[in-house]
Amino acid sequence: MSKPLMAKATAVWLVDNTTLSFKQIGDFCGLHELEVQGIADGDVAAGVKGYDPVASNQLDAEEIKRAEGSPAYRLRLKHNPAADGEEKRRGPRYTPLSKRQDRPAAILWLVKFHPELQDAQIAKLVGTTKPTIASIRERTHWNIQNIQPIDPVALGLCRQTELDAAVQKAAKKRAAEGVVMTDDERRKLVSTETSLSMSDEPRLPSSIAGLENFSLNREEKRPEPARDADSFFNLPDAGEDDEDEDDQR
């Protein structure tokens, strides 16, 4: 069901200017009945100015009177031709201002760990533009030296289900084109739950290749020299000083 513009402010106006029940107002504005009751008590939406749905051509006055006379009647939002297809609009995802600085890190993570994703898919997941993706992919971004790859799911830029769906779609497209995937790429296509349950596979970094037999222990045990049993009983000879002390006594 479509919601009115400024739903909470509309609920404030209906609470102050009508005798509608909390349930009727909640159903019309997309709010819970208890939340509408909180608006009436002053605990919710304090300081919010009411928004008149009749003046904004979202609701007829006769509709309100009919609902006031019948508690079971549900208000109907007035049809607005300009809003047709508004929910189906396609384009980049809206990203809040507080998270926009995290998009380069998310893009770098997707480019690094999911190279099968197309720029259009990354733009839809993160809510960015293709030029920004190209600059990070080609490492020409002005801040590329300070960007660290971070999972966009951890940043809250997209959901894990959305990321998995995009990866699966990209994998099917590559398979249809006859592109052979590597083992690492296949591992990335596994679901999150399955991936977490897998055992870790230790790999030796290429920078230290050839040091497989190098021991990481700080102290290595060295074999102790063999000792003769008689050496434990060879006491040092008494010196001249000891003899002098015996004579003086």
Side-chain angles (χ1 to χ4, degrees):
M1 180 179 178
S2 301
K3 299 179 182 179
L5 297 175
M6 301 177 63
K8 189 166 291 187
T10 301
V12 172
W13 189 91
L14 292 173
V15 169
D16 295 337
N17 297 276
T18 67
T19 59
L20 296 172
S21 65
F22 296 152
K23 181 172 177 55
Q24 287 176 313
I25 298 175
D27 293 341
F28 178 72
C29 298
L31 304 175
H32 194 274
E33 182 178 355
L34 295 178
E35 189 173 1
V36 180
Q37 183 177 355
I39 294 175
D41 296 338
D43 299 331
V44 180
V48 176
K49 185 178 180 180
Y51 185 71
D52 188 352
V54 179
S56 60
N57 198 25
Q58 299 185 88
L59 192 63
D60 290 331
E62 296 179 357
E63 190 79 3
I64 296 177
K65 292 181 180 179
R66 187 180 303 176
E68 288 176 339
S70 177
Y73 184 80
R74 300 186 65 177
L75 292 170
R76 298 179 181 178
L77 184 66
K78 196 172 181 179
H79 177 67
N80 184 8
D84 289 344
E86 188 70 16
E87 296 180 356
K88 299 181 180 179
R89 177 179 296 179
R90 296 182 180 180
R93 179 193 302 272
Y94 172 76
T95 305
L97 293 174
S98 59
K99 295 184 179 181
R100 292 186 181 179
Q101 68 273 11
D102 298 331
R103 286 186 297 188
I107 296 172
L108 183 60
W109 189 91
L110 293 172
V111 169
K112 181 177 181 180
F113 295 101
H114 291 287
E116 69 276 5
L117 292 176
Q118 298 180 355
D119 291 354
Q121 291 178 304
I122 298 177
K124 187 176 180 180
L125 285 171
V126 182
T128 184
T129 59
K130 292 183 179 180
T132 304
I133 300 173
S135 63
I136 294 178
R137 191 185 296 274
E138 298 171 2
R139 302 191 68 81
T140 58
H141 192 273
W142 65 273
N143 196 30
I144 192 63
Q145 300 298 332
N146 299 323
I147 299 176
Q148 298 294 331
I150 304 177
D151 190 343
V153 178
L155 294 173
L157 296 175
C158 67
R159 299 178 181 177
Q160 185 65 48
T161 55
E162 296 172 342
L163 177 59
D164 293 341
V167 173
Q168 294 287 348
K169 184 177 180 180
K172 291 180 180 179
K173 186 174 182 180
R174 292 187 62 179
E177 295 175 353
V179 179
V180 180
M181 299 177 61
T182 63
D183 294 338
D184 291 339
E185 292 176 344
R186 288 193 184 94
R187 183 180 178 85
K188 295 173 185 176
L189 298 178
V190 179
S191 63
T192 306
E193 293 78 6
T194 307
S195 179
L196 293 175
S197 62
M198 289 183 176
S199 59
D200 296 334
E201 297 181 1
R203 298 179 181 179
L204 187 66
S206 58
S207 59
I208 60 172
L211 302 179
E212 295 85 351
N213 298 327
F214 181 77
S215 176
L216 298 179
N217 296 332
R218 295 182 178 180
E219 297 181 359
E220 295 184 357
K221 295 183 179 180
R222 297 180 179 180
E224 297 181 358
R227 295 183 178 180
D228 188 5
D230 297 337
S231 62
F232 291 99
F233 302 97
N234 292 335
L235 298 177
D237 297 336
E240 295 179 355
D241 296 337
D242 296 338
E243 294 179 356
D244 297 338
E245 293 178 359
D246 294 339
D247 296 340
Q248 293 177 359
R249 291 179 183 177

